């Protein structure tokens, strides 16, 4: 993906936008997170901080599920959060209130890396 293609793709992203994806790699359960194929030229990633503490509750490789755009930055990777609450950390509402209190109002807004 070229810089121009990434900028165009990223420019169309919206916080909370849902992608159906397949978990393709869980490199070190409990350590970094998991990689998701969202059917685009750019991959998705779910950070360990958004996932349950108990790794046996994480989606395994091959799991097909819905994921929402949580973040994007200069890296050519879409940061995702699971839509299914089974795959979210147990205290997700409290976590969001502490770490990203503007999340509810961000949903539907364009993802802009120049302001993140």
């Amino acid at each position: 993906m070229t810089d121009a293609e990434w900028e165009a793709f990223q420019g169309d992203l919206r916080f909370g936008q849902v992608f159906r994806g397949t978990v393709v790699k869980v490199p070190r359960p409990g350590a970094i997170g998991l990689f998701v194929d969202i059917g685009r030229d750019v991959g998705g990633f779910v950070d360990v901080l958004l996932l349950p503490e108990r790794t046996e509750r994480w989606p395994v490789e091959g799991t097909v599920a819905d994921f929402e755009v949580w973040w994007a930055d200069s890296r050519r990777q879409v940061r995702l959060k699971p839509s299914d609450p089974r795959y979210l950390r147990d205290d997700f509402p409290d976590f969001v209130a502490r770490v990203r209190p503007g999340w509810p109002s961000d949903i539907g807004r364009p993802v802009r890396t120049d302001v993140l």
Side-chain angles (χ1 to χ4, degrees):
M1 177 176 273
T2 66
D3 289 343
E5 290 169 330
W6 167 245
E7 287 180 31
F9 175 79
Q10 185 266 334
D12 289 338
L13 288 176
R14 300 286 181 261
F15 289 114
Q17 179 178 350
V18 176
F19 285 100
R20 189 98 171 139
T22 304
V23 176
V24 292
K25 190 170 185 180
V26 184
R28 292 178 23 217
I32 64 169
L34 49 96
F35 294 90
V36 179
D37 179 348
I38 58 172
R40 303 296 196 281
D41 289 339
V42 62
F45 180 75
V46 179
D47 192 281
V48 65
L49 293 174
L50 299 174
L51 295 163
E53 188 173 310
R54 293 179 37 226
T55 58
E56 60 269 11
R57 289 191 36 224
W58 288 24
V60 297
E61 291 178 13
T63 299
V64 176
D66 288 338
F67 297 89
E68 300 172 34
V69 175
W70 175 255
W71 198 265
D73 55 28
S74 60
R75 293 170 283 192
R76 291 185 185 160
Q77 182 182 73
V78 180
R79 297 299 178 124
L80 303 168
K81 76 172 215 40
S83 295
D84 188 330
R86 293 178 300 167
Y87 301 136
L88 282 173
R89 61 185 293 146
D90 293 327
D91 68 341
F92 185 74
D94 294 332
F95 172 79
V96 169
R98 284 190 324 272
V99 176
R100 190 143 176 223
W103 170 247
S105 62
D106 284 344
I107 295 173
R109 291 187 177 168
V111 174
R112 293 187 43 215
T113 59
D114 60 328
V115 296
L116 295 178

